[in-house]
Structures are given as C-alpha cells and as structure tokens.
Amino acid sequence: MVIVAVFYFAIPFTLMIAGEMYISSGLASIIFANMPIAVMITSTLFLGLRLSPHQFAGLFISVASLYLILSNELSIGGNNLLIGSGALALAVIIHAIMYVMVQKHCKDIQVITYNAIPSFIASLLLFITSFAFENITVQAFSSSSLIAVAYLGVFASVGGIVAYFKLGQLSTPFAASICFLIFPLVALSLSALTSGTVISDQSLMLLFPLLSGILLAKLPRNKLSLNLFKMRYKSA
C-alpha cells in the first residue's frame, strides 16, 4: 500500500500537475495517450508478454508519431516545453510500471480498497512535503482555485481512477485502454474552447497515425490473425 501510495499516486500526480504548468492540457493528453504503449512495454519486460508483428508495427508507428509531435511542439515552445514534456513522460513511465505491478499483485483486492488507502497515505505525504518546502499563504486562496482542487479530487482523481480500474475488472485490458485514445480528442477540444490554446496543424495531423498505432499495438495477438483468416475464407 505504501509503495502504491508513493509511486502510483504521490510522485506521478505531482509530476503531472507540475508538467502542465509548462505545457498545454492538449499536449499533455497526447503524451498520456501513450500509456497503453508504456504498459505494453513494461508488461513485456516484467510479465514476459510476447508481441506479434502487428503489435511491433503499431508500437513503432505510435512512438515515431509521438516523437514527431514533440519535436514539432518543442521547436515552437522552447525549454519550458521540454521540462513539461519530460515531467509528463516520467509520470507515464512510473504509472505504467506500477500499473503492471498492481495487475500482478493486487488482482484480488477490491478496487476502492487499493485506491482509497494509498490515496490517503499519499495525501498525508504530500501535505507534509508541502508544509516543509512550500510557502503557503491561506489568504491567497481564491474560490476558483478551491473549486478546481475539489473537482480534481472528486472527479479527476477519485472518480476517474476508480472508474478506470473498475472498467479493467469488468472488461478486457484492451477494451479498458481504449479510453486513453479519447483523452487527446477531449482535452484538445476543451483546451481550444476554454483557453484558446491549440497545438500546430502538423501535430494535429500526426494524431491520426499516433492513435492508429496505439490501437494496432493493443490489438490482441490472435485477433488480427483471426480476422485475416475470415477475410481469406470469405474471398475463397
């Protein structure tokens, strides 16, 4: 529980919030859309997952597309974008490793239990760290910031995490990971609507191969071969 609290909640979520101080929510969502790829790589390393040729192809397409998007955006945004993207990428890596470990060791634990207890421990650790290293001025708290914190706590953290892990229990990991493909589309739309910040047209065009590569990489080993067999059978 302590390991999950530190490495699944405290450190990654701090990196996410810190990273989004330097990059837009749209670009952050594009980086986080690669979570299924990161989980697949860590599953290969730690769980002995074997990949088929089409999964390797999807992995290459998605990583290459993300590299081109980041290269394009970093050339526009400079060093601050590099810091923000690095923080988000590190959060994705840590999350992916912990997700694999949770799947391996916490399968029989109820979803709310192994989310609630580590969340509580992480919140205590973050409060202690905040009081030790940050200059807190309660008088500077605004109503909008308090509402934002409440929204992040109830919907983005508790609701979102519990819903995702519950989805993983009710469906296959492949089906659950599809939600990561929706993140960039929603975030980019809301970012453009609320703040007027959008990524470049070239990066938007690269979203298609990125999401297609992730979808191809997450397609199960026997799924594609079965569909190809059915197509050949019908044509024959």
Side-chain angles (χ1 to χ4, degrees):
M1 290 294 181
V2 173
I3 291 174
V4 174
V6 174
F7 293 100
Y8 192 88
F9 288 99
I11 295 178
F13 279 97
T14 300
L15 288 171
M16 289 166 57
I17 299 298
E20 289 197 37
M21 294 172 62
Y22 302 99
I23 63 177
S24 66
S25 58
L27 184 56
S29 67
I30 291 175
I31 297 174
F32 241 81
N34 287 268
M35 177 67 75
I37 299 298
V39 171
M40 179 174 290
I41 294 174
T42 53
S43 297
T44 303
L45 295 174
F46 297 110
L47 301 180
L49 176 69
R50 296 178 59 188
L51 302 180
S52 62
H54 75 269
Q55 290 176 318
F56 275 112
L59 183 64
F60 173 78
I61 293 171
S62 59
V63 171
S65 301
L66 178 63
Y67 173 79
L68 292 174
I69 290 174
L70 292 179
S71 298
N72 185 52
E73 294 302 313
L74 289 177
S75 65
I76 300 173
N79 293 329
N80 287 343
L81 256 173
L82 184 62
I83 295 173
S85 300
L88 265 295
L90 183 57
V92 169
I93 294 171
I94 297 174
H95 248 158
I97 295 173
M98 287 305 302
Y99 181 75
V100 171
M101 295 297 105
V102 165
Q103 288 290 94
K104 184 177 181 179
H105 299 289
C106 302
K107 270 190 170 182
D108 298 327
I109 304 176
Q110 294 293 322
V111 170
I112 295 180
T113 300
Y114 76 71
N115 277 278
I117 296 177
S119 292
F120 177 69
I121 297 173
S123 66
L124 293 179
L125 293 175
L126 290 174
F127 265 118
I128 294 172
T129 305
S130 176
F131 281 115
F133 296 101
E134 293 184 336
N135 183 20
I136 301 174
T137 306
V138 179
Q139 291 78 12
F141 291 0
S142 64
S143 57
S144 59
S145 65
L146 293 175
I147 293 173
V149 170
Y151 172 81
L152 286 173
V154 176
F155 295 100
S157 297
V158 177
I161 293 172
V162 172
Y164 177 72
F165 278 101
K166 191 63 179 178
L167 177 62
Q169 285 188 342
L170 297 176
S171 63
T172 64
F174 170 72
S177 66
I178 298 299
C179 70
F180 285 99
L181 305 182
I182 303 173
F183 288 172
L185 306 178
V186 176
L188 287 170
S189 301
L190 291 177
S191 180
L193 182 65
T194 57
S195 61
T197 57
V198 294
I199 64 174
S200 63
D201 293 337
Q202 295 90 337
S203 297
L204 286 175
M205 292 176 62
L206 286 167
L207 271 180
F208 178 74
L210 172 68
L211 301 182
S212 299
I214 295 173
L215 187 61
L216 181 62
K218 292 300 292 180
L219 197 64
R221 285 169 56 88
N222 59 345
K223 188 77 173 178
L224 186 61
S225 58
L226 180 61
N227 289 337
L228 290 175
F229 174 78
K230 288 180 178 180
M231 291 174 63
R232 290 175 181 173
Y233 177 78
K234 289 180 179 180
S235 62

PDB file of all heavy atoms in Angstrom, residues 61-89:
ATOM      1  N   ILE A  61       4.933   2.830 -34.976  1.00  0.00           N
ATOM      2  CA  ILE A  61       4.162   3.948 -35.543  1.00  0.00           C
ATOM      3  C   ILE A  61       3.810   4.970 -34.457  1.00  0.00           C
ATOM      4  O   ILE A  61       3.958   6.180 -34.651  1.00  0.00           O
ATOM      5  CB  ILE A  61       2.884   3.426 -36.226  1.00  0.00           C
ATOM      6  CG1 ILE A  61       3.241   2.589 -37.464  1.00  0.00           C
ATOM      7  CG2 ILE A  61       1.964   4.584 -36.621  1.00  0.00           C
ATOM      8  CD1 ILE A  61       2.054   1.868 -38.078  1.00  0.00           C
ATOM      9  N   SER A  62       3.347   4.484 -33.314  1.00  0.00           N
ATOM     10  CA  SER A  62       2.918   5.390 -32.245  1.00  0.00           C
ATOM     11  C   SER A  62       4.099   6.150 -31.654  1.00  0.00           C
ATOM     12  O   SER A  62       4.020   7.363 -31.427  1.00  0.00           O
ATOM     13  CB  SER A  62       2.181   4.608 -31.152  1.00  0.00           C
ATOM     14  OG  SER A  62       3.018   3.603 -30.608  1.00  0.00           O
ATOM     15  N   VAL A  63       5.216   5.454 -31.407  1.00  0.00           N
ATOM     16  CA  VAL A  63       6.389   6.117 -30.826  1.00  0.00           C
ATOM     17  C   VAL A  63       6.961   7.145 -31.806  1.00  0.00           C
ATOM     18  O   VAL A  63       7.324   8.264 -31.414  1.00  0.00           O
ATOM     19  CB  VAL A  63       7.463   5.076 -30.435  1.00  0.00           C
ATOM     20  CG1 VAL A  63       8.762   5.776 -30.039  1.00  0.00           C
ATOM     21  CG2 VAL A  63       6.970   4.204 -29.297  1.00  0.00           C
ATOM     22  N   ALA A  64       7.030   6.774 -33.090  1.00  0.00           N
ATOM     23  CA  ALA A  64       7.547   7.701 -34.100  1.00  0.00           C
ATOM     24  C   ALA A  64       6.640   8.929 -34.216  1.00  0.00           C
ATOM     25  O   ALA A  64       7.134  10.070 -34.332  1.00  0.00           O
ATOM     26  CB  ALA A  64       7.657   6.989 -35.447  1.00  0.00           C
ATOM     27  N   SER A  65       5.322   8.726 -34.189  1.00  0.00           N
ATOM     28  CA  SER A  65       4.379   9.847 -34.281  1.00  0.00           C
ATOM     29  C   SER A  65       4.515  10.771 -33.077  1.00  0.00           C
ATOM     30  O   SER A  65       4.503  12.006 -33.221  1.00  0.00           O
ATOM     31  CB  SER A  65       2.946   9.319 -34.389  1.00  0.00           C
ATOM     32  OG  SER A  65       2.784   8.492 -35.518  1.00  0.00           O
ATOM     33  N   LEU A  66       4.624  10.174 -31.870  1.00  0.00           N
ATOM     34  CA  LEU A  66       4.790  10.992 -30.666  1.00  0.00           C
ATOM     35  C   LEU A  66       6.090  11.779 -30.734  1.00  0.00           C
ATOM     36  O   LEU A  66       6.133  12.961 -30.370  1.00  0.00           O
ATOM     37  CB  LEU A  66       4.776  10.108 -29.420  1.00  0.00           C
ATOM     38  CG  LEU A  66       4.981  10.843 -28.086  1.00  0.00           C
ATOM     39  CD1 LEU A  66       3.838  11.818 -27.829  1.00  0.00           C
ATOM     40  CD2 LEU A  66       5.115   9.856 -26.935  1.00  0.00           C
ATOM     41  N   TYR A  67       7.156  11.147 -31.222  1.00  0.00           N
ATOM     42  CA  TYR A  67       8.445  11.836 -31.347  1.00  0.00           C
ATOM     43  C   TYR A  67       8.319  13.040 -32.290  1.00  0.00           C
ATOM     44  O   TYR A  67       8.827  14.128 -31.998  1.00  0.00           O
ATOM     45  CB  TYR A  67       9.508  10.864 -31.861  1.00  0.00           C
ATOM     46  CG  TYR A  67      10.829  11.535 -32.186  1.00  0.00           C
ATOM     47  CD1 TYR A  67      11.721  11.874 -31.172  1.00  0.00           C
ATOM     48  CD2 TYR A  67      11.168  11.838 -33.508  1.00  0.00           C
ATOM     49  CE1 TYR A  67      12.919  12.504 -31.466  1.00  0.00           C
ATOM     50  CE2 TYR A  67      12.374  12.461 -33.812  1.00  0.00           C
ATOM     51  CZ  TYR A  67      13.248  12.798 -32.784  1.00  0.00           C
ATOM     52  OH  TYR A  67      14.431  13.417 -33.071  1.00  0.00           O
ATOM     53  N   LEU A  68       7.641  12.859 -33.414  1.00  0.00           N
ATOM     54  CA  LEU A  68       7.479  13.949 -34.368  1.00  0.00           C
ATOM     55  C   LEU A  68       6.629  15.075 -33.789  1.00  0.00           C
ATOM     56  O   LEU A  68       6.916  16.262 -33.994  1.00  0.00           O
ATOM     57  CB  LEU A  68       6.848  13.422 -35.663  1.00  0.00           C
ATOM     58  CG  LEU A  68       7.718  12.478 -36.498  1.00  0.00           C
ATOM     59  CD1 LEU A  68       6.918  11.915 -37.671  1.00  0.00           C
ATOM     60  CD2 LEU A  68       8.968  13.200 -36.995  1.00  0.00           C
ATOM     61  N   ILE A  69       5.565  14.705 -33.044  1.00  0.00           N
ATOM     62  CA  ILE A  69       4.712  15.721 -32.420  1.00  0.00           C
ATOM     63  C   ILE A  69       5.509  16.531 -31.414  1.00  0.00           C
ATOM     64  O   ILE A  69       5.475  17.773 -31.407  1.00  0.00           O
ATOM     65  CB  ILE A  69       3.491  15.068 -31.749  1.00  0.00           C
ATOM     66  CG1 ILE A  69       2.528  14.516 -32.799  1.00  0.00           C
ATOM     67  CG2 ILE A  69       2.756  16.080 -30.858  1.00  0.00           C
ATOM     68  CD1 ILE A  69       1.364  13.737 -32.218  1.00  0.00           C
ATOM     69  N   LEU A  70       6.239  15.838 -30.529  1.00  0.00           N
ATOM     70  CA  LEU A  70       7.008  16.538 -29.508  1.00  0.00           C
ATOM     71  C   LEU A  70       8.117  17.387 -30.134  1.00  0.00           C
ATOM     72  O   LEU A  70       8.375  18.512 -29.688  1.00  0.00           O
ATOM     73  CB  LEU A  70       7.601  15.533 -28.512  1.00  0.00           C
ATOM     74  CG  LEU A  70       6.597  14.803 -27.618  1.00  0.00           C
ATOM     75  CD1 LEU A  70       7.309  13.830 -26.693  1.00  0.00           C
ATOM     76  CD2 LEU A  70       5.770  15.784 -26.805  1.00  0.00           C
ATOM     77  N   SER A  71       8.771  16.840 -31.160  1.00  0.00           N
ATOM     78  CA  SER A  71       9.825  17.613 -31.835  1.00  0.00           C
ATOM     79  C   SER A  71       9.258  18.882 -32.443  1.00  0.00           C
ATOM     80  O   SER A  71       9.855  19.960 -32.356  1.00  0.00           O
ATOM     81  CB  SER A  71      10.481  16.758 -32.929  1.00  0.00           C
ATOM     82  OG  SER A  71      11.088  15.622 -32.377  1.00  0.00           O
ATOM     83  N   ASN A  72       8.081  18.760 -33.041  1.00  0.00           N
ATOM     84  CA  ASN A  72       7.441  19.914 -33.665  1.00  0.00           C
ATOM     85  C   ASN A  72       7.022  20.942 -32.630  1.00  0.00           C
ATOM     86  O   ASN A  72       7.242  22.150 -32.802  1.00  0.00           O
ATOM     87  CB  ASN A  72       6.228  19.439 -34.476  1.00  0.00           C
ATOM     88  CG  ASN A  72       5.582  20.578 -35.253  1.00  0.00           C
ATOM     89  OD1 ASN A  72       6.253  21.292 -35.983  1.00  0.00           O
ATOM     90  ND2 ASN A  72       4.283  20.741 -35.088  1.00  0.00           N
ATOM     91  N   GLU A  73       6.428  20.475 -31.524  1.00  0.00           N
ATOM     92  CA  GLU A  73       5.945  21.394 -30.496  1.00  0.00           C
ATOM     93  C   GLU A  73       7.093  22.001 -29.706  1.00  0.00           C
ATOM     94  O   GLU A  73       7.026  23.166 -29.303  1.00  0.00           O
ATOM     95  CB  GLU A  73       4.982  20.661 -29.557  1.00  0.00           C
ATOM     96  CG  GLU A  73       3.693  20.203 -30.227  1.00  0.00           C
ATOM     97  CD  GLU A  73       2.920  21.350 -30.851  1.00  0.00           C
ATOM     98  OE1 GLU A  73       2.747  22.387 -30.182  1.00  0.00           O
ATOM     99  OE2 GLU A  73       2.487  21.207 -32.012  1.00  0.00           O
ATOM    100  N   LEU A  74       8.164  21.218 -29.455  1.00  0.00           N
ATOM    101  CA  LEU A  74       9.299  21.750 -28.703  1.00  0.00           C
ATOM    102  C   LEU A  74      10.015  22.840 -29.477  1.00  0.00           C
ATOM    103  O   LEU A  74      10.561  23.780 -28.892  1.00  0.00           O
ATOM    104  CB  LEU A  74      10.277  20.614 -28.361  1.00  0.00           C
ATOM    105  CG  LEU A  74       9.801  19.609 -27.311  1.00  0.00           C
ATOM    106  CD1 LEU A  74      10.830  18.502 -27.130  1.00  0.00           C
ATOM    107  CD2 LEU A  74       9.531  20.284 -25.983  1.00  0.00           C
ATOM    108  N   SER A  75      10.029  22.716 -30.797  1.00  0.00           N
ATOM    109  CA  SER A  75      10.671  23.750 -31.609  1.00  0.00           C
ATOM    110  C   SER A  75       9.907  25.066 -31.531  1.00  0.00           C
ATOM    111  O   SER A  75      10.452  26.133 -31.768  1.00  0.00           O
ATOM    112  CB  SER A  75      10.754  23.288 -33.069  1.00  0.00           C
ATOM    113  OG  SER A  75       9.460  23.142 -33.633  1.00  0.00           O
ATOM    114  N   ILE A  76       8.605  24.966 -31.165  1.00  0.00           N
ATOM    115  CA  ILE A  76       7.778  26.170 -31.020  1.00  0.00           C
ATOM    116  C   ILE A  76       7.870  26.732 -29.600  1.00  0.00           C
ATOM    117  O   ILE A  76       7.978  27.930 -29.384  1.00  0.00           O
ATOM    118  CB  ILE A  76       6.305  25.859 -31.356  1.00  0.00           C
ATOM    119  CG1 ILE A  76       6.188  25.357 -32.802  1.00  0.00           C
ATOM    120  CG2 ILE A  76       5.414  27.068 -31.125  1.00  0.00           C
ATOM    121  CD1 ILE A  76       4.799  24.874 -33.155  1.00  0.00           C
ATOM    122  N   GLY A  77       7.848  25.816 -28.603  1.00  0.00           N
ATOM    123  CA  GLY A  77       7.732  26.252 -27.217  1.00  0.00           C
ATOM    124  C   GLY A  77       9.031  26.423 -26.457  1.00  0.00           C
ATOM    125  O   GLY A  77       9.046  27.054 -25.412  1.00  0.00           O
ATOM    126  N   GLY A  78      10.144  25.837 -26.903  1.00  0.00           N
ATOM    127  CA  GLY A  78      11.425  26.032 -26.235  1.00  0.00           C
ATOM    128  C   GLY A  78      11.627  25.152 -25.020  1.00  0.00           C
ATOM    129  O   GLY A  78      11.029  24.088 -24.885  1.00  0.00           O
ATOM    130  N   ASN A  79      12.489  25.628 -24.082  1.00  0.00           N
ATOM    131  CA  ASN A  79      12.922  24.815 -22.952  1.00  0.00           C
ATOM    132  C   ASN A  79      11.800  24.490 -21.985  1.00  0.00           C
ATOM    133  O   ASN A  79      11.785  23.434 -21.366  1.00  0.00           O
ATOM    134  CB  ASN A  79      14.064  25.519 -22.205  1.00  0.00           C
ATOM    135  CG  ASN A  79      15.329  25.607 -23.037  1.00  0.00           C
ATOM    136  OD1 ASN A  79      15.588  24.738 -23.861  1.00  0.00           O
ATOM    137  ND2 ASN A  79      16.108  26.662 -22.827  1.00  0.00           N
ATOM    138  N   ASN A  80      10.861  25.404 -21.796  1.00  0.00           N
ATOM    139  CA  ASN A  80       9.761  25.137 -20.874  1.00  0.00           C
ATOM    140  C   ASN A  80       8.943  23.941 -21.318  1.00  0.00           C
ATOM    141  O   ASN A  80       8.500  23.129 -20.498  1.00  0.00           O
ATOM    142  CB  ASN A  80       8.858  26.368 -20.752  1.00  0.00           C
ATOM    143  CG  ASN A  80       9.504  27.478 -19.941  1.00  0.00           C
ATOM    144  OD1 ASN A  80      10.457  27.249 -19.213  1.00  0.00           O
ATOM    145  ND2 ASN A  80       8.986  28.688 -20.074  1.00  0.00           N
ATOM    146  N   LEU A  81       8.737  23.829 -22.637  1.00  0.00           N
ATOM    147  CA  LEU A  81       8.012  22.667 -23.146  1.00  0.00           C
ATOM    148  C   LEU A  81       8.792  21.390 -22.905  1.00  0.00           C
ATOM    149  O   LEU A  81       8.218  20.343 -22.645  1.00  0.00           O
ATOM    150  CB  LEU A  81       7.744  22.843 -24.646  1.00  0.00           C
ATOM    151  CG  LEU A  81       6.313  23.230 -25.034  1.00  0.00           C
ATOM    152  CD1 LEU A  81       6.234  23.545 -26.510  1.00  0.00           C
ATOM    153  CD2 LEU A  81       5.362  22.094 -24.693  1.00  0.00           C
ATOM    154  N   LEU A  82      10.126  21.471 -22.958  1.00  0.00           N
ATOM    155  CA  LEU A  82      10.960  20.301 -22.709  1.00  0.00           C
ATOM    156  C   LEU A  82      10.819  19.837 -21.268  1.00  0.00           C
ATOM    157  O   LEU A  82      10.714  18.639 -20.996  1.00  0.00           O
ATOM    158  CB  LEU A  82      12.426  20.635 -23.024  1.00  0.00           C
ATOM    159  CG  LEU A  82      13.426  19.482 -22.901  1.00  0.00           C
ATOM    160  CD1 LEU A  82      13.082  18.375 -23.882  1.00  0.00           C
ATOM    161  CD2 LEU A  82      14.840  19.990 -23.135  1.00  0.00           C
ATOM    162  N   ILE A  83      10.785  20.787 -20.339  1.00  0.00           N
ATOM    163  CA  ILE A  83      10.613  20.452 -18.922  1.00  0.00           C
ATOM    164  C   ILE A  83       9.244  19.818 -18.683  1.00  0.00           C
ATOM    165  O   ILE A  83       9.118  18.777 -18.016  1.00  0.00           O
ATOM    166  CB  ILE A  83      10.778  21.711 -18.048  1.00  0.00           C
ATOM    167  CG1 ILE A  83      12.203  22.252 -18.148  1.00  0.00           C
ATOM    168  CG2 ILE A  83      10.430  21.409 -16.588  1.00  0.00           C
ATOM    169  CD1 ILE A  83      12.404  23.582 -17.458  1.00  0.00           C
ATOM    170  N   GLY A  84       8.202  20.440 -19.223  1.00  0.00           N
ATOM    171  CA  GLY A  84       6.851  19.913 -19.033  1.00  0.00           C
ATOM    172  C   GLY A  84       6.669  18.543 -19.654  1.00  0.00           C
ATOM    173  O   GLY A  84       6.096  17.638 -19.033  1.00  0.00           O
ATOM    174  N   SER A  85       7.153  18.369 -20.877  1.00  0.00           N
ATOM    175  CA  SER A  85       7.029  17.075 -21.553  1.00  0.00           C
ATOM    176  C   SER A  85       7.820  15.992 -20.834  1.00  0.00           C
ATOM    177  O   SER A  85       7.367  14.846 -20.719  1.00  0.00           O
ATOM    178  CB  SER A  85       7.508  17.188 -23.005  1.00  0.00           C
ATOM    179  OG  SER A  85       6.750  18.136 -23.712  1.00  0.00           O
ATOM    180  N   GLY A  86       9.006  16.355 -20.321  1.00  0.00           N
ATOM    181  CA  GLY A  86       9.815  15.389 -19.577  1.00  0.00           C
ATOM    182  C   GLY A  86       9.130  14.933 -18.303  1.00  0.00           C
ATOM    183  O   GLY A  86       9.155  13.738 -17.958  1.00  0.00           O
ATOM    184  N   ALA A  87       8.496  15.875 -17.599  1.00  0.00           N
ATOM    185  CA  ALA A  87       7.777  15.520 -16.375  1.00  0.00           C
ATOM    186  C   ALA A  87       6.612  14.592 -16.669  1.00  0.00           C
ATOM    187  O   ALA A  87       6.392  13.592 -15.961  1.00  0.00           O
ATOM    188  CB  ALA A  87       7.283  16.789 -15.672  1.00  0.00           C
ATOM    189  N   LEU A  88       5.850  14.879 -17.730  1.00  0.00           N
ATOM    190  CA  LEU A  88       4.717  14.036 -18.105  1.00  0.00           C
ATOM    191  C   LEU A  88       5.184  12.652 -18.560  1.00  0.00           C
ATOM    192  O   LEU A  88       4.570  11.632 -18.214  1.00  0.00           O
ATOM    193  CB  LEU A  88       3.895  14.692 -19.200  1.00  0.00           C
ATOM    194  CG  LEU A  88       2.672  15.520 -18.799  1.00  0.00           C
ATOM    195  CD1 LEU A  88       1.618  14.631 -18.165  1.00  0.00           C
ATOM    196  CD2 LEU A  88       3.030  16.663 -17.878  1.00  0.00           C
ATOM    197  N   ALA A  89       6.281  12.612 -19.337  1.00  0.00           N
ATOM    198  CA  ALA A  89       6.805  11.329 -19.819  1.00  0.00           C
ATOM    199  C   ALA A  89       7.262  10.460 -18.650  1.00  0.00           C
ATOM    200  O   ALA A  89       7.017   9.245 -18.626  1.00  0.00           O
ATOM    201  CB  ALA A  89       7.949  11.558 -20.793  1.00  0.00           C
TER     202      ALA A  89
END
